[in-house]
Amino acid sequence: MAGAPPRSGGGWKQLFWFAVAFTGLGFAGYVYLIPYQKMQHAVGTRQAELASERAAAEEATAERDKLKATLEKYTGADKDKAAVEAKKKSAVDALALALKTGLEELGATVTPDGAKLRVSFPVAKVIDANGMDVSETGQAALKILAGASKKEDAKVRVVARTSSAPPPKELRSLFHTAGEMRAVRAARVMSALEDAGLPPAQLMIIGEADKAAARGHAKGKKAAAAPPGDQLDLQVEPE
């Protein structure tokens, strides 16, 4: 029986070099693959950071645009308010000039009071001796006031001062207090303004505390019973 041929040394060598090649391939994979993975991880992290920064920048831009729009809105509102106030001041100035020219010679005083004018008449200049009805001179004065107010589209408020003081003796049979008397007088003045051409929508009566009476209350009952004031006041305010 013939013996097996001896194994060639070349096969072992091939196996050895194959093992060496495999080991080299693994080492190369370790050398190149691990840094590649780290690089990929770093790139992914940086991309996430960039995306976060981009989102933050977009949010900041949106917030800035929102604040800018809000600022423009308030700035526009301030400009509109300033324009309205300037227009009203111009109307007040024009109205003051017209009223002073026509009414001061009739005994009225015209005083600026913020966005409105206060027009004051001595009662004797515009009210009849009965203390209630508008006199002929008063009708002429109110006609001037109504015409100027209508031209400027201004509202006129007739002031009726409240007071618990007694009215003049000749009117005590009709009124318990000076406040009641002034309310009726204010209604007749308002009616005269309406007859002079001022639309009812631009007319009203307002109550106002009698400062003289208030000072009288502070000093005592005797001072509180002093005769009522003799001024007829009106407020004129352009729209």
Side-chain angles (χ1 to χ4, degrees):
M1 185 173 180
R7 184 178 297 273
S8 172
W12 288 104
K13 289 181 180 181
Q14 289 177 355
L15 183 60
F16 172 76
W17 289 114
F18 177 77
V20 169
F22 185 80
T23 302
L25 180 63
F27 180 75
Y30 175 80
V31 170
Y32 292 102
L33 182 60
I34 297 304
Y36 176 74
Q37 289 178 339
K38 289 182 178 180
M39 183 180 68
Q40 275 193 323
H41 179 72
V43 169
T45 302
R46 183 56 182 162
Q47 286 179 338
E49 291 175 352
L50 290 174
S52 178
E53 291 175 0
R54 189 182 303 111
E58 290 175 352
E59 184 177 353
T61 301
E63 186 66 20
R64 181 201 63 193
D65 293 342
K66 182 179 178 181
L67 291 174
K68 184 178 178 182
T70 303
L71 179 61
E72 289 176 351
K73 178 181 177 182
Y74 282 112
T75 301
D78 289 340
K79 288 181 179 178
D80 292 343
K81 183 179 179 181
V84 170
E85 289 178 351
K87 182 180 178 181
K88 182 173 285 190
K89 185 179 184 303
S90 177
V92 168
D93 291 342
L95 192 55
L97 179 61
L99 292 179
K100 284 182 178 180
T101 302
L103 297 179
E104 284 187 344
E105 63 183 19
L106 298 176
T109 57
V110 180
T111 308
D113 184 12
K116 59 182 179 292
L117 296 171
R118 182 177 287 270
V119 182
S120 297
F121 293 95
V123 167
K125 292 284 186 178
V126 291
I127 301 297
D128 275 335
N130 63 12
M132 297 301 303
D133 298 320
V134 179
S135 65
E136 291 185 4
T137 303
Q139 289 175 359
L142 294 179
K143 189 173 183 179
I144 293 172
L145 190 147
S149 300
K150 186 176 181 180
K151 182 179 179 181
E152 295 296 337
D153 196 26
K155 290 184 177 180
V156 178
R157 304 180 184 95
V158 185
V159 178
R161 286 197 179 91
T162 58
S163 175
S164 59
K169 290 181 180 180
E170 60 273 16
L171 295 176
R172 288 180 185 176
S173 61
L174 298 175
F175 306 104
H176 293 93
T177 65
E180 293 178 2
M181 177 197 70
R182 290 169 180 168
V184 174
R185 178 194 292 166
R188 296 188 181 181
V189 169
M190 187 172 73
S191 178
L193 286 167
E194 189 174 346
D195 291 341
L198 198 61
Q202 292 175 234
L203 282 166
M204 67 170 55
I205 296 174
I206 62 170
E208 188 174 282
D210 190 333
K211 295 179 181 179
R215 287 194 297 268
H217 280 296
K219 292 179 180 179
K221 293 182 179 179
K222 185 176 180 180
D230 60 351
Q231 292 290 321
L232 172 66
D233 291 334
L234 301 99
Q235 296 177 2
V236 185
E237 183 175 6
E239 286 293 316

